[in-house]
Structures are given as structure tokens and as C-alpha cells.
């Protein structure tokens, strides 16, 4: 199936995210796509390509623009080495304690922290920027957020125990990681090819946040507030992707941290149209279509579902079509393209 490929115009995305006008056409947005999905869509060996190759970024940029996106979502992880996880044979997921490298102040002091001058590999953004046609821009940020990086280093269980036994160590790890994120965003914010900054940081699960809201307010949200401030000082919006039940902290994130747009929605927690009803006048929802529905629903049911979401979310133009999470290895490419086609048709 072909998509309605059009000349990219990142202003469509910015109008939706900043709620500053109605886009000329329905914009699309995704947080990320698995290498397997990119490979199947492009007919390339993308899974085995290296990001140090310009061909990798050529495939990546064309993947998004070829589906009618105006912006290329992109993130690069911190230059923080982690132990290789010890995975159970046949497993496809990573356990929460598999990459712990800090259990004590001695571990913290020994850890090879990167400098704030080089917190990430900025060259990847520069390589992708070289390939952008007129009208296309990057929505860029650091891969994994301050909460996620803290749990990589401390473990979810480890962090929970240390909050009781050595809270000052947890505070210092979060502060140090946050300083690296902020240093990276300060440099990314100055890149002309980047039209918006973003951060992915999964804070919760089906029923609540992983940390207590007060711990998030003390350890994580001050970093988000500075992230958004850096973006706004550069005249760019800030997008937060976070999975899980954040109902108790949405006022903190939206009104306190001043994020411009939120991505990642689950029907069983808070459907995207309900988020829009509650917060859409001050925070733009992005995506929200159920991944399982896209993967398994019959064609007519999927098209009807897409139409409902467009009608519920795009009335004022302040929304972008996409999944509630990401483009997965197991998602049929043709189903996602069908969603994009139907969305543009209904919104026209």
C-alpha cells in the first residue's frame, strides 16, 4: 500500500504541538520504530546496519518521510557505559536489575561518567540533518530519560531499597544523570535541523507510577522543568513520552514542568481523547491508537477505529496521528499504512 506522501512541512507539526493554528493537513508522530519494522517497510537490512554509516541515516530519514511524516523522531543515548545484560536464552526483554553498576558511593565514584561537553554522540544528529529535504526537521532528544537511566544504573528494586537506606546516593545519581541530559539538550536546542526537543521516560505501569509522586517531584520533575525551559528559550516546544498511569502527576508535568505535548496513551489507563478533554487546552496529545488494535483488528474495524480517533482528537487541529506507544517488530506494516491513509482521508 502506498501512503499519501507529500512535501514535508514541519510547521504542520509545530502548529499542532504549540496550539498556534490549524495545520494544513493532519500531522503524524511516533516516538520510535523498531529496527525490524524499519527493515520490513524499507526492504533493507536496517537491523544490521551501523549508525556510524550515512546509509543508516539515509534509510532512517526516508523511512519517516516516505510515510508522509513532516518530522523525523530521533534520540541518541547517553555516553554512559552499562554492563551487558545476562539474558535468559530465548528472552526478548530486559530485566530491571540486569545492568546495575552502582550499588554504593564507591561504585558512584569509580563510574566513568562522560563530560558534559560530550554527553551523547551529537554526530548522529548532524548526519541525519544532512539528509533532510527542505521542509523536514528532526524532533530530537536523549534516548531514555533521567528516571530510566537511574533505574538502569541502580535497578528498580535497587533504587527502591536505596531510597530507604541511602537516599543521598539516589539523589546524587539522579542529579548527575539529569545534568548530562540538560547539557545534551542545550546543544541540541541550538541545531537548526531540530524543530522540537523531546524526552522519553517511562514513569509508570497500569495502575500507578513506579516511584511515589513526591519522589518524582523531588528527583525527576525539576529536570523536566529545566528541559522544557531550555527548549522554550530556543523558541522550540518540548515533547514528553511516558508510559504508565500518570493521572496523579499530570498537573505537575503539564502545569509545573510546562511540557507542550504528551505521547504514549493506553486505552485501559487514559484514552487519548479523554486526555484531550481534560488537558488539551494546555498540552497537545500525540498518537494514542492502540498497538494491539492496529496489529490484529480486521480491516473494517481498524478503519472505523481510526476514523473515531481522528474525529475525537483533531477537531481543533491540535493532535497528531500515531500509535499509543511505538512501531513494533510484530506490527504489520500494511496495517499501519492503512491507518495513516485513513487518517489523512478523514481529516481532509
Amino acid at each position: 500500500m502506498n501512503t499519501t506522501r507529500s512535501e514535508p512541512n514541519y510547521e504542520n507539526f509545530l502548529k499542532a504541538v504549540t496550539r498556534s493554528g490549524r495545520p494544513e493537513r493532519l500531522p503524524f508522530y511516533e516516538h520510535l520504530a523498531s529496527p525490524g519494522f524499519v527493515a520490513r517497510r524499507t526492504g533493507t537490512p536496517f537491523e544490521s546496519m551501523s549508525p556510524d554509516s550515512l546509509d543508516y541515516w539515509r534509510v532512517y530519514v526516508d523511512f519517516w518521510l516516505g510515510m508522509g511524516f513532516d518530522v523525523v523522531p530521533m534520540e541518541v543515548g547517553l555516553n554512559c557505559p552499562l554492563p551487558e545484560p545476562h539474558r535468559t536464552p530465548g528472552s526478548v526483554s530486559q530485566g530491571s536489575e540486569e545492568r546495575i553498576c552502582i550499588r554504593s558511593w564507591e561504585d558512584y565514584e569509580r563510574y566513568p561518567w562522560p563530560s558534559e561537553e560530550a554527553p551523547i554522540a551529537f554526530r548522529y544528529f548532524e548526519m541525519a540533518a544532512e539528509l533532510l529535504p527542505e521542509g523536514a526537521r528532526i524532533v530530537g532528544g536523549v534516548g531514555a530519560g533521567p528516571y530510566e537511566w537511574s533505574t538502569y544504573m541502580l535497578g528498580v528494586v535497587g533504587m527502591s531499597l536505596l531510597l530507604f537506606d541511602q537516599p543521598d546516593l539516589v539523589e546524587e545519581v539522579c542529579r548527575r544523570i539529569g545534568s548530562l541530559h540538560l547539557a545534551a539538550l542545550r546543544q541540541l536546542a541550538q541545531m537548526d535541523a531540530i524543530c522540537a526537543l523531546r524526552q522519553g521516560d517511562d514513569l509508570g505501569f497500569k495502575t500507578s507510577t513506579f516511584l511515589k509522586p513526591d519522589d518524582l517531584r523531588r528527583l525527576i520533575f525539576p529536570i523536566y522543568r529545566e528541559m522544557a525551559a531550555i527548549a522554550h528559550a530556543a523558541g522550540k516546544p518540548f515533547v514528553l513520552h511516558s508510559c504508565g498511569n500518570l493521572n496523579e502527576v499530570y498537573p505537575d508535568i503539564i502545569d509545573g514542568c510546562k511540557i507542550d505535548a504528551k505521547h504514549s496513551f493506553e486505552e485501559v489507563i487514559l484514552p487519548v481523547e479523554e486526555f484531550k478533554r481534560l488537558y488539551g487546552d494546555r498540552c497537545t496529545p500525540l498518537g494514542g491508537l492502540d498497538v494491539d488494535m492496529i496489529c490484529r483488528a480486521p480491516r473494517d474495524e481498524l478503519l472505523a477505529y481510526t476514523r473515531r480517533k481522528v474525529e475525537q482528537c483533531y477537531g481543533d487541529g491540535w493532535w497528531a496521528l500515531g500509535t499509543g506507544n511505538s512501531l513494533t517488530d510484530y506490527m504489520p506494516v500494511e496495517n499501519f499504512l492503512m491507518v495513516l491513509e485513513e487518517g489523512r482521508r478523514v481529516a481532509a
Side-chain angles (χ1 to χ4, degrees):
M1 173 184 286
N2 293 320
T3 56
T4 52
R5 178 163 187 163
S6 52
E7 290 299 317
N9 181 359
Y10 69 95
E11 292 289 350
N12 286 311
F13 177 77
L14 291 184
K15 285 178 181 178
V17 168
T18 60
R19 301 171 299 287
S20 58
R22 187 176 183 83
E24 294 178 359
R25 61 174 178 266
L26 173 66
F28 303 150
Y29 185 75
E30 287 296 331
H31 182 61
L32 54 83
S34 73
F37 190 97
V38 177
R40 286 185 287 119
R41 164 60 181 165
T42 58
T44 65
F46 187 76
E47 294 165 298
S48 61
M49 296 174 71
S50 167
D52 290 314
S53 163
L54 193 61
D55 285 340
Y56 175 100
W57 295 107
R58 186 173 290 109
V59 170
Y60 187 77
V61 169
D62 191 60
F63 165 77
W64 295 107
L65 301 185
M67 294 189 297
F69 282 65
D70 299 296
V71 294
V72 175
M74 183 175 167
E75 63 182 23
V76 175
L78 293 175
N79 287 330
C80 291
L82 295 170
E84 283 299 316
H86 301 289
R87 296 192 177 174
T88 304
S91 68
V92 295
S93 62
Q94 179 180 308
S96 65
E97 315 303 295
E98 288 186 359
R99 310 191 80 172
I100 293 176
C101 52
I102 297 178
R103 295 179 174 84
S104 65
W105 277 105
E106 290 74 18
D107 290 339
Y108 173 83
E109 296 296 341
R110 285 195 298 263
Y111 186 80
W113 295 99
S115 71
E116 293 190 8
E117 288 71 37
I120 66 171
F122 292 105
R123 67 183 183 278
Y124 294 142
F125 286 98
E126 294 164 356
M127 292 167 74
E130 290 180 16
L131 301 167
L132 296 176
E134 185 68 27
R137 294 291 187 276
I138 294 168
V139 179
V142 178
Y147 170 74
E148 290 182 333
W149 271 100
S150 297
T151 60
Y152 294 164
M153 293 181 167
L154 301 170
V156 173
V157 175
M159 187 177 189
S160 300
L161 295 173
L162 286 169
L163 278 169
F164 182 80
D165 294 330
Q166 296 185 73
D168 54 340
L169 176 57
V170 177
E171 290 172 8
E172 176 58 18
V173 169
C174 290
R175 185 205 65 78
R176 187 69 172 266
I177 291 170
S179 70
L180 294 172
H181 278 83
L182 296 173
L185 289 191
R186 289 188 188 98
Q187 296 189 54
L188 293 176
Q190 302 308 311
M191 294 184 66
D192 292 338
I194 295 177
C195 69
L197 295 182
R198 56 175 259 170
Q199 184 59 66
D201 206 15
D202 291 341
L203 298 177
F205 55 106
K206 184 177 178 179
T207 58
S208 73
T209 54
F210 292 113
L211 290 180
K212 294 179 180 179
D214 282 346
D215 288 329
L216 289 173
R217 293 172 184 131
R218 180 168 54 91
L219 299 171
I220 304 300
F221 292 164
I223 304 170
Y224 290 178
R225 192 176 303 118
E226 289 194 54
M227 288 176 169
I230 289 169
H232 296 158
K236 299 174 181 182
F238 180 74
V239 177
L240 177 69
H241 164 102
S242 186
C243 296
N245 190 328
L246 310 186
N247 292 334
E248 195 170 348
V249 295
Y250 271 131
D252 299 274
I253 293 171
I254 296 169
D255 301 319
C257 300
K258 305 296 184 184
I259 69 169
D260 297 286
K262 164 68 167 60
H263 184 263
S264 190
F265 296 97
E266 296 175 66
E267 302 279 16
V268 297
I269 298 175
L270 185 69
V272 62
E273 63 271 16
E274 181 63 10
F275 177 94
K276 185 172 179 67
R277 185 186 70 79
L278 293 171
Y279 307 111
D281 61 332
R282 56 195 193 275
C283 183
T284 298
L286 302 175
L289 273 68
D290 184 68
V291 169
D292 186 65
M293 175 70 75
I294 297 174
C295 288
R296 301 200 296 170
R299 181 180 186 278
D300 290 347
E301 184 179 343
L302 179 56
L303 294 179
Y305 174 77
T306 301
R307 289 194 295 272
R308 286 197 303 273
K309 291 296 186 184
V310 174
E311 291 163 358
Q312 291 169 327
C313 298
Y314 193 61
D316 54 11
W318 301 342
W319 180 64
L321 175 63
T323 71
N325 187 278
S326 61
L327 303 180
T328 64
D329 271 345
Y330 50 83
M331 180 181 289
V333 171
E334 61 274 16
N335 287 18
F336 181 65
L337 299 182
M338 191 188 307
V339 165
L340 299 183
E341 290 279 4
E342 184 68 2
R344 281 273 171 90
R345 188 192 68 78
V346 173

